[in-house]
Amino acid sequence: MIGVRAHDLGEFTIARLEEFIQEIKRYGFTHIQLVLWKSFSDIDPYLTNVSTDQLEMIAKRLKEESIKVTVLGAYYNMISPDLKDRILGEERYEKMLEILKIFNGEVVGTEPGSYNIDFSFNERNHSKESYDIVLDSFKKFSKVAEKNGTNMGLEPVYTLTIWNIEVVKKLFNDLNSKNFKIIFDPVNLIGIENYQQQDELIENMFEIFKDNIVTVHFKDFLVKDRKLIRVSPGKGILNYKLLLSKMKKYNINGILDEVPKEDLEFSKKYVENILNTL
């Protein structure tokens, strides 16, 4: 049920693969979100210096230890104003769709992007222009996904291009691909304007997308001085009882995301304790 974003455990090398695996097992995680170049410092971001044999070796050892790769990360800025950066990101995403089957993974993940290089909010992020760029990219990706029998994944974010349930639903309908899935991060869809409607957001997300949600990111938040502050799960006000009950209903796993290493055991235990009451 509970996984982790693997590079939150630290940075390793391919030669230190066994240490990497033992670190995952030490916390008792059953699955991971794997960003290859962030977990293994000797793999470059575009996988130009790693062989298929090496990828298969990593995948084989994870499988032998019953560690599932739920998300293979290929995050990039989908509407980057730097066209070269955007093209490189698209190429990497397509490559990840091809290698996902090596890891027997569920989905290749990305966020929708911003017109600001640093991913901060830009009013144009919510424009039709930005939506069309994301839609066109996923139309291209869908051909690769369908050919390889793998899934595309998008993580909607309140300040970025695909930013609320209505826009996600429109993208689903416009794309019309069985290979398109959602990575649901409740905190990423919450802003100061809607945080008091978090229960409605969670209810609606599961009601509309059901088993098209491939995994949930576990974060938490507080409100201070009219600003949202991200904190580790169990230290904020996200309604985890509601979230976990919906996940249990639809048999969806979750991933601790952006949780400092010193909080991993606390947050994992917090989630487990709630699950045990459901």
Side-chain angles (χ1 to χ4, degrees):
M1 178 68 176
I2 305 174
V4 69
R5 194 174 69 164
H7 59 275
D8 288 334
L9 297 174
E11 190 176 74
F12 298 83
T13 61
I14 295 176
R16 295 173 58 210
L17 174 61
E18 296 308 314
E19 292 178 53
F20 172 70
I21 289 171
Q22 291 308 313
E23 192 69 1
I24 297 169
K25 293 178 66 177
R26 182 167 77 87
Y27 289 95
F29 293 120
T30 58
H31 61 110
I32 58 175
Q33 176 168 316
L34 179 62
V35 184
L36 286 160
W37 59 94
K38 290 187 176 182
S39 284
F40 303 102
S41 60
D42 49 348
I43 296 179
D44 80 81
Y46 297 95
L47 279 65
T48 60
N49 65 340
V50 63
S51 68
T52 301
D53 286 346
Q54 287 174 308
L55 294 175
E56 289 176 344
M57 181 264 294
I58 294 170
K60 179 173 180 286
R61 285 296 297 123
L62 289 170
K63 184 178 181 180
E64 288 172 348
E65 298 294 339
S66 299
I67 299 168
K68 183 172 180 58
V69 177
T70 297
V71 180
L72 194 62
Y75 285 64
Y76 79 100
N77 191 340
M78 297 191 75
I79 62 168
S80 175
D82 182 339
L83 187 57
K84 182 179 178 181
D85 177 63
R86 193 194 305 173
I87 291 171
L88 287 171
E90 289 179 350
E91 290 174 350
R92 180 170 67 192
Y93 193 95
E94 290 184 356
K95 188 169 186 176
M96 290 297 180
L97 285 171
E98 293 172 353
I99 71 169
L100 181 64
K101 56 189 174 183
I102 293 176
F103 289 90
N104 195 29
E106 293 287 329
V107 71
V108 175
T110 189
E111 289 182 349
S114 171
Y115 278 108
N116 295 339
I117 296 293
D118 65 356
F119 278 80
S120 60
F121 177 69
N122 183 309
E123 288 185 0
R124 292 174 62 204
N125 291 353
H126 293 174
S127 67
K128 182 181 184 300
E129 174 192 35
S130 66
Y131 173 87
D132 287 342
I133 293 172
V134 171
L135 175 60
D136 288 345
S137 294
F138 275 111
K139 283 182 177 178
K140 287 189 290 186
F141 298 155
S142 65
K143 296 176 183 177
V144 182
E146 289 163 11
K147 178 182 177 181
N148 288 277
T150 51
N151 289 325
M152 310 168 283
L154 180 69
E155 182 180 344
V157 182
Y158 189 68
T159 55
L160 304 183
T161 302
I162 309 302
W163 62 284
N164 64 22
I165 289 176
E166 289 73 26
V167 180
V168 178
K169 189 175 180 180
K170 176 175 171 52
L171 185 62
F172 250 96
N173 292 335
D174 289 346
L175 186 58
N176 191 28
S177 171
K178 62 181 177 59
N179 300 81
F180 183 61
K181 305 296 180 182
I182 292 297
I183 299 166
F184 178 35
D185 187 327
V187 174
N188 275 358
L189 283 174
I190 290 173
I192 195 65
E193 297 86 358
N194 70 343
Y195 78 91
Q196 292 178 318
Q197 288 79 48
Q198 60 160 301
D199 288 6
E200 182 181 353
L201 168 70
I202 292 169
E203 293 270 8
N204 288 342
M205 198 73 182
F206 283 96
E207 178 63 29
I208 293 170
F209 299 108
K210 299 181 174 67
D211 54 4
N212 282 309
I213 299 173
V214 72
T215 192
V216 171
H217 277 172
F218 291 143
K219 292 193 183 86
D220 213 332
F221 74 98
L222 293 168
V223 178
K224 186 176 182 181
D225 300 326
R226 291 290 297 168
K227 291 183 179 179
L228 260 64
I229 301 170
R230 291 185 177 183
V231 294
S232 299
K235 296 185 176 183
I237 60 172
L238 187 71
N239 188 347
Y240 263 93
K241 187 171 183 179
L242 174 62
L243 177 65
L244 290 167
S245 67
K246 294 296 181 182
M247 292 173 64
K248 189 172 182 178
K249 177 180 178 180
Y250 294 105
N251 193 30
I252 297 170
N253 290 328
I255 294 170
L256 292 173
D257 181 50
E258 295 182 18
V259 178
K261 198 169 183 180
E262 60 268 22
D263 286 345
L264 285 173
E265 289 187 16
F266 166 82
S267 291
K268 183 173 183 285
K269 191 67 175 176
Y270 172 78
V271 173
E272 288 173 337
N273 285 344
I274 296 176
L275 281 170
N276 289 336
T277 68
L278 298 177

